[in-house]
Amino acid sequence: MTLGSGGSSVVVPRNFRLLEELERGEKGIGDGTVSYGMDDADDIYMRSWTGTIIGPHNSVHEGRIYQLKLFCDKDYPEKPPSVRFHSRINMTCVNHETGVVEPKKFGLLSNWQREYMMEDILTQLKKEMAAPQNRKLVQPPEGTYF
């Protein structure tokens, strides 16, 4: 996020940005089917996060609760966080053995911009679940994990 006018801009420091994201994530996003928060409140670097997505209607994911791990390294938000499903899921952009969301197969990560936030990743993954290539894929049993 940058602030400023008349062509000048100020880059918001990483920790301020993450504090803003923490506040937004804990409130729940939109209809409440996507949320995220820190794994460890004592982590002063705010690196490890857990996200939750409730599967979209009219898909094999409907009503399922998916847990994800997001890791924001020291270069976040200049570079995207690593994203990994903890809950087993079958999607074209997710490695079937590790649960890692593969940046080359998930446009938001491959075309990352500093303005993007973790909530953008989670909401886009939810949209991806409802996309034609993913909405009818056979899923692992609910409650299984990577």
Side-chain angles (χ1 to χ4, degrees), residues 11-112:
V11 176
V12 176
R14 178 184 184 278
N15 279 7
F16 289 172
R17 162 71 177 269
L18 287 169
L19 284 169
E20 177 190 345
E21 290 201 52
L22 177 62
E23 186 177 331
R24 290 176 62 92
E26 289 180 340
K27 288 180 181 174
I29 302 158
D31 61 4
T33 59
V34 173
S35 64
Y36 59 98
M38 285 181 55
D39 278 346
D40 179 2
D42 295 329
D43 177 8
I44 61 170
Y45 298 108
M46 304 175 80
R47 294 173 293 205
S48 294
W49 298 70
T50 296
T52 303
I53 300 172
I54 298 175
H57 296 296
N58 300 319
S59 74
V60 294
H61 306 284
E62 184 169 354
R64 285 184 169 218
I65 298 172
Y66 294 99
Q67 297 287 322
L68 300 88
K69 297 293 182 183
L70 298 98
F71 186 82
C72 299
D73 217 342
K74 64 184 181 299
D75 52 7
Y76 180 84
E78 298 299 330
K79 294 191 176 167
S82 60
V83 183
R84 181 178 61 84
F85 274 85
H86 180 59
S87 307
R88 284 201 170 274
I89 189 169
N90 185 10
M91 285 177 64
T92 55
C93 61
V94 177
N95 181 297
H96 299 289
E97 294 177 13
T98 63
V100 170
V101 177
E102 298 178 357
K104 290 179 181 173
K105 296 180 179 179
F106 185 61
L108 194 78
L109 295 179
S110 62
N111 299 305
W112 184 257

